[in-house]
Amino acid sequence: MEAPLSGLQRSPPGSGRGHRFHPGHHEGELGVAPETFCTPSSCSAPEPEADLLDSEFWNSSLKILSRSLQEVLARRREVSTPSEEEALLALEELRLGPPAPLPGRARLRCVCYGLGNFSSCFKARFQLAFLLLLLKELQVPEELCCIFDPAFSTLERELLGGLGFSVLSRNEEGKRPIGEPTLFYMVHCGKALYNNLLWSNWSAEALSQMVVVGNSFKGIEERVPTRIFQRDYAYIAKILAASEEEALPPHAQYLEVFNDTAVHHFPWLKLREVPPETWHSQEEPAYQSEDQLEIVRNGDVT
């Protein structure tokens, strides 16, 4: 039996936080009427969240994510030097000392790229609802989740900021290095975005702290001609053997929303088997087929 991951237990019905976002209205640019905004204590869950929460798709997806995150967080505990706060907590648990607050305890972080225009696209609305539910179950505050899409309108950015997200102002093109356990939520993003992310974290230490929810890497390999795959998406190609992915379960209701979506992580034992010379090649990705590139370049953002 798998050990439960803290923060992943399903919340009882009716306990969800209310969010100032309601896809059931279709007024104005965002499809959100001002009177639908509400406080956490007075607002019920938006329809996509309620639909997901009651679905077997959500329960099964949560189990898949739990397995990957458990490995990442377990690896973090193995390599981390205990802090003073953690040492005091250990003493407390042994009844050898007084209770100690843990203000500096490390937390899982989240980055969301490529969500899309949730004001006008039902797929993006359900993907946002999934993210909100996931953050709640993982006990990750929205302010610890950075979010960006060059397609966001001004009002969409304001809505996300109102929900508590850290809305990025700069197009990182996926080039975000990490130093702590991080969940990347990148459903239906361009291949170059995943490749850029891997390049930015091209070490066993960094990759072992990462979980990526996005298009299947194996599917990318199958669909892209081998020559182009190894040339333009070299970092995906080189890390495939050291990665593990598990597809989200198929579900008729969410087929268009999460098709080809998988959870990826990079087990430490597999990363240790990667030949040393593989890590030495760290050239920044360059894409020869710019006209067919599936991401928006930083200079293209207005």
Side-chain angles (χ1 to χ4, degrees):
M1 179 179 295
E2 295 176 358
L5 179 62
S6 176
L8 275 177
Q9 296 85 357
R10 180 172 178 177
S11 303
S15 65
R17 292 174 294 186
H19 296 292
R20 296 184 296 171
F21 166 67
H22 201 300
H25 294 257
H26 301 280
E27 299 181 23
E29 179 186 357
L30 277 175
V32 181
E35 61 269 22
T36 66
F37 279 36
C38 50
T39 62
S41 60
S42 66
C43 183
S44 60
E47 185 177 334
E49 287 188 58
D51 287 348
L52 282 166
L53 195 58
D54 291 333
S55 70
E56 182 57 36
F57 171 80
W58 166 251
N59 295 326
S60 298
S61 298
L62 199 56
K63 291 177 183 177
I64 291 171
L65 277 155
S66 172
R67 286 193 283 269
S68 290
L69 287 167
Q70 282 199 42
E71 286 203 31
V72 168
L73 296 174
R75 167 63 186 160
R76 174 71 174 185
R77 287 191 292 270
E78 288 176 7
V79 301
S80 296
T81 300
S83 65
E84 180 180 351
E85 291 84 359
E86 290 169 328
L88 289 171
L89 177 64
L91 291 176
E92 175 196 344
E93 291 175 346
L94 291 171
R95 301 179 183 273
L96 297 177
L102 300 175
R105 198 176 183 87
R107 308 192 71 161
L108 178 71
R109 293 183 176 270
C110 176
V111 178
C112 172
Y113 291 132
L115 181 65
N117 295 114
F118 56 87
S119 62
S120 57
C121 177
F122 85 93
K123 297 178 187 178
R125 282 200 287 273
F126 272 95
Q127 289 165 10
L128 175 57
F130 189 100
L131 176 60
L132 289 167
L133 287 173
L134 189 57
L135 294 176
K136 178 183 177 182
E137 294 295 332
L138 296 174
Q139 299 181 4
V140 177
E142 280 85 353
E143 59 266 24
L144 292 185
C145 183
C146 297
I147 190 166
F148 182 82
D149 192 317
F152 285 153
S153 68
T154 299
L155 285 177
E156 283 173 322
R157 289 193 291 269
E158 290 175 354
L159 273 176
L160 291 168
L163 289 172
F165 287 100
S166 297
V167 184
L168 300 175
S169 59
R170 184 178 68 87
N171 183 4
E172 301 176 334
E173 299 181 8
K175 299 172 183 177
R176 169 174 282 256
I178 62 170
E180 53 195 327
T182 304
L183 170 67
F184 284 90
Y185 187 75
M186 304 169 62
V187 180
H188 296 167
C189 285
K191 298 183 288 291
L193 213 60
Y194 304 115
N195 196 57
N196 288 351
L197 176 64
L198 296 173
W199 167 75
S200 299
N201 296 277
W202 198 241
S203 71
E205 181 59 37
L207 291 176
S208 68
Q209 299 187 75
M210 178 187 301
V211 173
V212 181
V213 180
N215 290 2
S216 164
F217 289 178
K218 293 178 182 177
I220 293 174
E221 180 190 31
E222 293 170 359
R223 290 188 296 270
V224 178
T226 301
R227 179 179 59 85
I228 296 176
F229 182 61
Q230 294 179 349
R231 181 194 69 195
D232 289 355
Y233 308 106
Y235 290 95
I236 301 177
K238 289 188 288 188
I239 209 61
L240 264 179
S243 67
E244 289 188 2
E245 71 171 63
E246 190 169 359
L248 294 190
H251 191 287
Q253 184 177 352
Y254 307 113
L255 192 59
E256 293 185 50
V257 183
F258 295 104
N259 63 301
D260 194 44
T261 301
V263 179
H264 309 78
H265 73 281
F266 309 92
W268 178 250
L269 292 179
K270 285 192 172 184
L271 291 169
R272 289 180 60 185
E273 296 175 357
V274 174
E277 58 270 19
T278 301
W279 304 114
H280 297 159
S281 176
Q282 297 187 21
E283 294 182 8
E284 185 170 0
Y287 303 100
Q288 297 188 23
S289 303
E290 287 282 342
D291 57 332
Q292 299 180 12
L293 203 57
E294 300 167 325
I295 66 171
V296 177
R297 291 290 203 179
N298 187 32
D300 297 334
V301 179
T302 57

